[in-house]
């Protein structure tokens, strides 16, 4: 059962070469993930140690978990040590140089918009999700498991970041725009394309575009998953509601 | 020191064949663990992504942690991909079909009692704990470590579930019925039986029965571990108490 | 890039022999880490299961995470099963023997001071950090990654302890004395000494002393990292501040 849909080695290699070509995209995506960690750490009034650790976990947590589950070594951030060094430097700047964490220059403000960050983050979500699927297929995983590993790679950095902040992970909450869902849909677009013998490169680009588009549309139109049935009734007025809403 | 009590390969194989025979029990136990995750996610008003993730972690977290610690691959839910698919489907039904999450038909209500869930959960606790011990012994672990891995396999799904909910794990709280303790006692019944040359199959069934019985008795009679000495004095009336009780 | 500064096998062996010699130091450090977990569990009013688990995670969490990341087996606490057994016994005593958790005899009180615990904890921080660096170098990791693994080994027991308590990890908070920083500085003293061809044993002792001294000085003089720039403005007076300060 586990070997049904395995790809042959050439295709896997092709996929990995593709991943290599996306080097610059990767750097940008790592930086944006790390930045999401820094912002969260600031909100919790953490010091540099906390800021760097949360940024590190947000940037590398998903990939590290994937590598642990698939038993891959060296880990992503061990193989490319420039990544954690960049995150270290950025965290230092973020914590100690006021105009980095809170830019006031109008030009920088106009460049570093929330929309830009959301876009780069969507690129990262797409890239990491599909890298997770590719590695899982390379390890002969069945399709559903591969899609799970794709989503884990794409979103678990953010989940582990929120666990370190002692918060319920943001992507689990109702009324947040689609995130894991975009990753999941894109992974299946990729897998189904491969099933229909679409070339891996084409499948990759179609799936990549799907994830980025779906994410940006979902942010723009405030698309969320349908509210669970049992949450449609009015919220509980009691102590338990207070606990839930904290 | 680490090799003292290792079992020979035949016995390990027997134990694993036993585990295979308990297939249906396993499905039921996975479903009940997943269901505990769904209920907890509902209480925190999570969406489908959160519900499925918490259900997944509750069902597979303990076994995954065991496999990471023992360096076993493929992981349980990778080898049997039907399990995560079942949990995915159940989570969908739970979130979007009202009469699943909140059944109103009197017949269903009579069938799906808390007592039934507790019983299936106890079966799962026993099954997973003893599978953890067996695998650890198969890897030549010493006895105390094997008992730890048994307990981790049995109870850490629930612990990781509660970590994702940003709550203190339920089994760590005073005044909860015995849970990890049942697993620990059962693991040692199994280990001591093996030490006394009881056949693995008999040892397995005796230990299994011990865990299930002890758990059900503990629920029925409200048995807990003795309260720690230092908690016997009246609770603190101050801000720190409020923090503790939240 | 990853192989630049690798040590040869003899030196790695020397380092590991050093680590073996520090056996008694290790026992003391494990006990003190475990004790920090027990104290935290008591504050959260946990039962024995919670107390032992938190103590276990505080004592072995950092080393276990290191071993998972480096793919080393057997795990520290599997290889030396006496350690988890000692922690088990200590947790039992702590929970059920009043004069252990709250000693009243003046002689014991005079011996078991906070300063003593801080000192043994600093020894453990130094020992575990440098063991992490050594293992990473033995696995041919580049220098920055090795320093990260040193810090992770030294401090992540405490981080995971706080995650289980559903709290923001203590070492991430502003206004706590230097901890991860001492480990980081010491790791780099070790690495730079090796770069300058200092013998591993000398490098080890110099780095070890640096960590212990820096930690004790930092506690004595209340040294912290500089407050992040953006936290220098007065705290927010609103709901978000309440959330941050909880």
């Amino acid at each position: 059962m586990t070997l049904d849909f395995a790809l042959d080695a050439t295709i896997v290699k092709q996929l990995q070469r593709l991943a290599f070509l996306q080097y610059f995209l990767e750097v940008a995506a790592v930086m944006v993930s790390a930045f999401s960690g820094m912002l969260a750490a600031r909100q919790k009034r953490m010091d540099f140690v906390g800021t760097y650790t949360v940024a590190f976990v947000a940037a590398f947590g998903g990939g590290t978990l994937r590598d642990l589950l698939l038993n891959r070594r060296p880990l992503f951030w061990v193989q490319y040590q420039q990544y954690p060094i960049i995150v270290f430097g950025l965290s230092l700047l973020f914590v100690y140089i006021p105009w980095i964490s809170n830019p006031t220059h109008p030009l920088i403000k106009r460049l570093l918009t929330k929309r830009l960050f959301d876009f780069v983050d969507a690129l990262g979500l797409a890239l990491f999700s599909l890298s997770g699927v590719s590695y899982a297929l390379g390890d002969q995983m069945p399709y559903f498991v591969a899609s799970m590993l794709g989503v884990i790679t794409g979103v678990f950095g953010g989940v582990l970041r929120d666990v370190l902040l002692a918060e319920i992970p943001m992507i689990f909450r109702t009324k947040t725009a689609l995130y894991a869902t975009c990753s999941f849909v894109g992974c299946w677009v990729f897998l189904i394309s491969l099933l229909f013998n679409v070339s891996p490169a084409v499948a990759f680009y179609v799936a990549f575009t799907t994830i980025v588009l779906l994410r940006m549309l979902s942010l723009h139109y405030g698309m969320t998953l349908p509210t669970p049935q049992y949450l449609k009734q009015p919220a509980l007025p009691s102590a338990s509601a207070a606990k839930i809403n904290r």
Side-chain angles (χ1 to χ4, degrees), chain A:
Chain A
M1 156 159 296
T2 52
L3 298 177
D4 289 349
F5 307 114
L7 299 178
D8 68 57
T10 339
I11 294 182
V12 171
K13 241 181 223 163
Q14 267 189 39
L15 290 170
Q16 287 169 351
R17 206 172 307 144
L18 264 179
F20 179 77
L21 289 172
Q22 278 118 13
Y23 180 79
F24 290 105
L25 177 50
E26 206 171 63
V27 175
V30 161
M31 280 168 59
V32 165
S33 304
F35 192 72
S36 81
M38 293 174 211
L39 287 175
R42 173 169 71 178
Q43 236 200 331
K44 294 282 187 178
R45 305 184 76 78
M46 289 181 175
D47 69 353
F48 171 72
V49 171
T51 305
Y52 172 54
T53 309
V54 175
F56 187 100
V57 165
F60 307 121
T64 302
L65 183 55
R66 175 202 63 204
D67 289 346
L68 288 177
L69 294 176
L70 291 179
N71 217 3
R72 287 173 52 85
R73 299 290 187 296
L75 301 171
F76 177 64
W77 53 274
V78 168
Q79 191 166 13
Y80 305 104
Q81 72 158 325
Q82 63 270 37
Y83 288 133
I85 293 177
I86 291 171
V87 172
F88 190 88
L90 280 180
S91 302
L92 265 181
L93 294 176
F94 182 83
V95 165
Y96 294 122
I97 311 290
W99 55 263
I100 298 280
S101 54
N102 191 15
T104 48
H105 193 289
L107 182 68
I108 296 178
K109 264 190 163 167
R110 238 169 91 193
L111 284 173
L112 298 179
T113 57
K114 186 178 175 316
R115 185 157 299 219
L116 176 70
F117 280 114
D118 283 340
F119 182 65
V120 178
D121 186 66
L123 296 179
L125 178 65
L127 183 67
F128 291 129
S129 300
L130 296 175
S131 85
V133 181
S134 305
Y135 287 136
L137 291 176
D139 278 13
Q140 322 271 323
M141 302 273 156
Y143 268 31
F144 186 79
V145 168
S147 75
M148 286 295 100
L149 282 162
V151 177
I152 287 172
T153 311
V155 312
F156 248 74
V159 170
L160 293 175
R161 173 199 66 203
D162 296 343
V163 165
L164 279 188
L165 300 169
E167 293 249 319
I168 292 183
M170 190 178 303
I171 63 163
F172 293 175
R173 300 177 207 161
T174 38
K175 297 182 191 162
T176 50
L178 302 183
Y179 195 77
T181 310
C182 309
S183 164
F184 185 74
V185 169
C187 290
W188 278 102
V189 167
F190 184 64
L191 291 167
I192 290 170
S193 306
L194 292 179
L195 260 181
F196 281 97
N197 288 316
V198 175
S199 94
V202 173
F204 185 92
Y205 288 119
V206 172
F208 190 93
T209 313
T210 307
I211 296 178
V212 175
L213 262 185
L214 189 55
R215 171 68 182 156
M216 294 315 285
L217 285 174
S218 145
L219 277 171
H220 191 76
Y221 293 106
M223 285 155 58
T224 63
L225 285 178
T227 305
Q229 283 301 320
Y230 44 76
L231 296 182
K232 289 200 171 154
Q233 52 237 20
L236 312 172
S238 63
S240 68
K243 193 177 161 199
I244 287 163
N245 294 326
R246 79 191 168 97

